[in-house]
Amino acid sequence: MSSFLGRLLIVDLSTRRAKTVLLDGSYCRQYLGGVGLAVRILWDFSSSGVDPFDPNNPLVFAAGPLAGTMVPAASKYAVATKSPLTGFIGASLSSSGWPLALKRAGYDALVVLGASEAPSYLFIDDDRVYFRPARTLWGAKSWEAEERIRRDLGDDSVRVATIGPAGEKLVRYACISNDYSRQAGRTGVGAVMGAKKLKAIAVRGTRPIHVADAELLRRVSLDLYARSQGAATAKYRILGTPANVLALNALAALPTRNFQQSTFEGADRVSGERLYDQHKTKVVACAGCSIGCDHIYRVSDGPYSGTQVGMEYESLYALGPLCGVDDAAAVLRAAELCDQYGIDTMSAGVSIAWAMESYERGLLSKEQTDGLDLRFGNGAAVAAMVEQIGLRRGLGQLLGEGVKRAAASVGGGSERWAMHVKGLEMPGYEPRSLKTLGL
């Protein structure tokens, strides 16, 4: 088995029981990476026609097969479940320390079944699984919950994957956060975790990871490390993924004002270059990554002073150009709120952009927006709407359903500017310019 451990942990929240089953090596090798393994396990444990919020909808976590080895950027995990947004398979990826802990605890994958009667969290301590109450954690924002669980367990080395208030309130694009700045962001996996009343999964793993040929792995890994420091990754090391803003704008592939345009006149003001010059505080890397594309930005003055958040291109596109916002500080604040409440930044931005177009076309009134002037370009309104979504208040109750359901509810032809594919809000690339994405 080598780096595959051949062990699946099955946890039933309804009965508060856990057991480990052995996975055959050939079973694991049939499926590509953590996503392939997670989706296969989801298939094995799913029942036909199950509702995404039903306790019988499995929630599967699978570590990448190379997690815990010296292969660079291999510390990944996948989450698979039936998506509350699409009703199809939903899969999402995250990275850093949590998958390392899962592998070191002795598991390739974890499947969570059933639902707790009251809020709880799991603590996986190598072979031991504890069901712990989380009533006092319910309502805590993602970062706060991580810190409080570590204090509760008395061990700063414990890794925690948690939901925020959005997951608890079943926002259909709620995410799962881990290691403070990493998220399994897409398809609503956090909402399924919330439906199970599972606040978090804390893991402490102490076992080593073995490989079949340590010397060969070392040589290959050193070559990958060297290549990762070359010209091909320079823009990500220096500017992070926000380097894509100006490049995509030049290609007329930067979605703007809810995909009404493909270039943004304010692109320079929210570009990776501008963020680097005015807001960068440090660069960090996920566990085992030699590139370090995660740039942390801080706002030091103005109404959003004190905001500090990591920013990826997809978040920047959705909360910036897509909403017509060229105020970098407001975009950073909106992203910070998404992380705190546990919301997918892409789905949030697309949902808000749909609401902005609906507002400008007269389908949504100022009364319905609780007085917010929801015109394109209003960065303060975007940040305020993120908070409404996270708390399921006001218009956020509707937008928390996702743009497909929101448009069906409002009607008036708004389905025509609801930018989604089968219920999943679109990523940050203009398919009319990037033909391969269109395919």
Side-chain angles (χ1 to χ4, degrees), residues 217-232:
L217 188 77
R218 185 188 70 83
R219 293 200 304 270
V220 171
S221 297
L222 290 176
D223 177 63
L224 290 172
Y225 278 114
R227 290 166 60 189
S228 72
Q229 296 300 304

Side-chain angles (χ1 to χ4, degrees), residues 64-89:
L66 296 173
T69 72
M70 67 180 295
V71 175
S75 181
K76 304 285 187 182
Y77 74 95
V79 188
T81 191
K82 189 170 186 180
S83 168
L85 278 173
T86 67
F88 302 119
I89 292 172

